[in-house]
Amino acid sequence: MKQCYRIFIHGMVQGVFFRQSTQQQAQRYGLSGWVRNRLDGRVEVLLYGESPAVKSMLKWLEIGPKQAKVTKIEYREIPVDTLNEPLPAIFEVRATV
């Protein structure tokens, strides 16, 4: 079963290769979606894929790359048909918003 999650990661998560590491990890799990920095210091992630892979990725995001210091992670499952944009076919790194 496929799932889609929107995730916000708090802590020292910018300037530590969090986006690139997230992209690499998502590609290993065969997930699509994107990652981007937020102007408020958080990292935002949209994940889509098979449930076991999404769950594994959520666990990885709780820690992130070794340079990061994750203090909090917020996530919620969202229905794909409520997205305001099409899901990317791959996992992308997006610009800061």
Side-chain angles (χ1 to χ4, degrees), residues 8-13 16 18 60-74:
F8 292 95
I9 301 110
H10 303 252
M12 191 177 77
V13 293
V16 293
F18 204 101
W60 182 87
L61 288 169
E62 290 176 0
I63 299 167
K66 71 178 183 176
Q67 304 93 325
K69 300 277 190 253
V70 175
T71 58
K72 180 179 174 184
I73 182 171
E74 302 172 86

Side-chain angles (χ1 to χ4, degrees), residues 4-5 10 15 18 30-31 39 41 44-46 50-52 54 59 62 65 67 74 78 81 88 92:
C4 185
Y5 276 84
H10 303 252
F18 204 101
L31 299 169
L39 291 174
E44 181 180 10
V45 180
L46 182 76
E50 293 295 333
S51 180
V54 170
K59 286 182 192 244
E62 290 176 0
Q67 304 93 325
E74 302 172 86
I78 53 175
D81 60 353
E92 304 171 348

Side-chain angles (χ1 to χ4, degrees), residues 16 19 24 29 37-39 42-43 53 59 61 65 69 72 77 88 93:
V16 293
R19 291 179 299 164
Q24 291 170 356
Y29 287 123
N37 285 342
R38 305 282 305 190
L39 291 174
R42 297 178 296 168
V43 168
K59 286 182 192 244
L61 288 169
K69 300 277 190 253
K72 180 179 174 184
E77 187 170 6
V93 174

Side-chain angles (χ1 to χ4, degrees), residues 11-12 14 17-20 23-24 27 30 34-35 42 45 50 53 56 67-68 75-77 79-80 82-83 87 97:
M12 191 177 77
Q14 292 189 14
F17 300 101
F18 204 101
R19 291 179 299 164
Q20 293 81 2
Q23 181 185 42
Q24 291 170 356
Q27 288 171 340
W34 47 259
V35 59
R42 297 178 296 168
V45 180
E50 293 295 333
S56 294
Q67 304 93 325
Y75 58 89
R76 65 181 169 93
E77 187 170 6
V80 174
T82 64
L83 293 175
L87 278 166
V97 294

